[in-house]
């Protein structure tokens, strides 16, 4: 009897979170049930929330000044952070603990490992998470929680077949030489992106940095745009 009640509570809680995501029309939503993973997990569930990058300005880096001084983030990160804080608040009001994770704009191996577990996409040769309709032009954050949520998202079928095939556009066009067949060199990427000669100033304290690996990927019919790097 107690087990049935616990299962019903899990269903109700999961439905509550799902309906909130659907009501807010969040494009990327998925729950990973960590109880189904191997030992050593850090949470009972992981909630993924994200947006497609319909335009490159969502990757524009802005300088923001607060009580802790200057911080830099993209418009995409700020948008997803607002989603994450909203859902974190919902869970904490219900008595659950949460930890918000906002991945770097650069390829993030830890985040990619978790993203692949959702079976909603795959990590491409550009070391970015690729989903069917939007390709690698997406930004996803996540929440670690002790909330006993049920995994999945019934709106989408599994999509984890690697479609990169023989395509090497991202490897060939990376202007910083950070992408190679044998891996990604973060230092080279950072050095190229942080060089002011390779940046486009959109407005005061707002800069568009290299986004070639996003722009050149042919996967994703709903998000296509030109790179900020005029040399590519």
């Amino acid at each position: 009897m107690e087990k049935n009640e616990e299962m019903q509570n899990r269903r109700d809680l999961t439905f509550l979170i799902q309906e909130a995501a659907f009501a807010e029309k969040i494009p990327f939503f998925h729950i990973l049930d960590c109880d189904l993973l191997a030992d050593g997990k850090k949470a009972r569930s992981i909630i993924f929330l994200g947006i497609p990058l319909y335009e490159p300005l969502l990757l524009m880096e802005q300088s923001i000044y607060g009580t802790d001084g200057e911080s830099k983030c993209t418009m995409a990160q700020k948008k997803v952070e607002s989603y994450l804080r909203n859902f974190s608040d919902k869970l904490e009001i219900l008595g659950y603990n949460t930890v918000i994770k906002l991945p770097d704009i650069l390829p993030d191996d830890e985040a990619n490992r978790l993203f692949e577990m959702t079976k909603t996409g795959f990590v491409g040769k550009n070391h970015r998470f690729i989903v069917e309709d939007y390709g690698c032009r997406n930004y996803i954050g996540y929440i670690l929680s002790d909330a006993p949520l049920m995994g999945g998202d019934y709106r989408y079928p599994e999509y984890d077949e690697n479609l990169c095939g023989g395509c090497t556009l991202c490897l060939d066009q990376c202007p910083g030489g950070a992408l190679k067949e044998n891996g990604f060199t973060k230092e080279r990427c950072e050095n190229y992106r942080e060089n002011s000669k390779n940046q486009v100033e959109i407005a005061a304290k707002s800069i568009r940095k290299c986004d070639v690996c996003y722009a050149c990927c042919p996967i994703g019919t709903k998000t296509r745009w030109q790179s900020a790097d005029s040399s590519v």
Side-chain angles (χ1 to χ4, degrees):
M1 184 67 178
E2 290 182 3
K3 191 170 184 179
N4 289 338
E5 289 181 359
E6 180 183 353
M7 183 59 70
Q8 184 60 47
N9 289 337
R10 291 189 71 186
R11 289 196 184 99
D12 291 345
L13 180 59
T14 303
F15 180 77
L16 180 68
I17 296 299
Q18 283 181 336
E19 287 304 300
F22 301 161
E24 296 186 32
K25 298 181 179 179
I26 298 176
F28 290 111
F29 166 76
H30 194 89
I31 296 175
L32 193 62
D33 182 356
C34 296
D35 286 349
L36 302 179
L37 304 181
D39 291 340
K41 58 185 180 293
K42 298 179 180 179
R44 285 199 69 180
S45 59
I46 304 175
I47 304 170
F48 299 89
L49 302 168
I51 59 172
L53 303 175
Y54 286 117
E55 56 180 335
L57 289 184
L58 287 168
L59 292 174
M60 179 176 66
E61 186 178 90
Q62 300 174 305
S63 295
I64 299 173
Y65 298 90
T67 55
D68 297 327
E70 181 183 7
S71 62
K72 296 181 179 181
C73 69
T74 65
M75 296 174 67
Q77 286 173 304
K78 289 299 293 181
K79 178 67 173 176
V80 171
E81 183 182 22
S82 69
Y83 286 151
L84 295 174
R85 293 197 179 281
N86 184 9
F87 278 72
S88 175
D89 289 344
K90 292 181 191 300
L91 288 170
E92 291 186 353
I93 287 173
L94 294 172
Y96 298 104
N97 297 308
T98 63
V99 176
I100 290 175
K101 295 287 186 178
L102 205 63
D104 193 355
I105 284 296
L106 301 186
D108 187 314
D109 288 340
E110 180 183 0
N112 282 341
R113 181 180 62 82
L114 294 175
F115 295 159
E116 284 197 308
M117 289 182 185
T118 67
K119 297 188 180 300
T120 57
F122 63 94
V123 176
K125 292 180 181 178
N126 58 6
H127 289 255
R128 297 194 178 281
F129 188 62
I130 295 176
V131 296
E132 186 172 13
D133 289 334
Y134 309 110
C136 64
R137 291 169 290 278
N138 64 77
Y139 181 76
I140 304 170
Y142 56 98
I143 300 170
L144 302 174
S145 178
D146 58 0
L149 299 173
M150 302 175 73
D153 180 352
Y154 59 79
R155 296 178 301 170
Y156 301 108
E158 290 188 358
Y159 174 81
D160 59 353
E161 179 185 357
N162 192 315
L163 299 180
C164 286
C167 179
T168 60
L169 281 175
C170 58
L171 307 181
D172 298 337
Q173 296 188 23
C174 177
L179 289 172
K180 302 291 183 182
E181 283 283 2
N182 60 350
F184 166 71
T185 306
K186 184 176 181 179
E187 184 178 2
R188 285 186 176 181
C189 183
E190 287 178 325
N191 289 342
Y192 186 86
R193 296 183 88 243
E194 295 306 318
N195 188 329
S196 60
K197 295 179 181 179
N198 305 322
Q199 299 173 351
V200 178
E201 186 172 355
I202 305 298
K205 303 296 182 180
S206 297
I207 297 171
R208 187 177 171 189
K209 297 182 178 180
C210 178
D211 50 22
V212 171
C213 60
Y214 279 110
C216 72
C217 181
I219 302 174
T221 57
K222 293 184 178 180
T223 55
R224 295 303 302 271
W225 33 262
Q226 297 297 312
S227 169
D229 195 316
S230 58
S231 66
V232 176

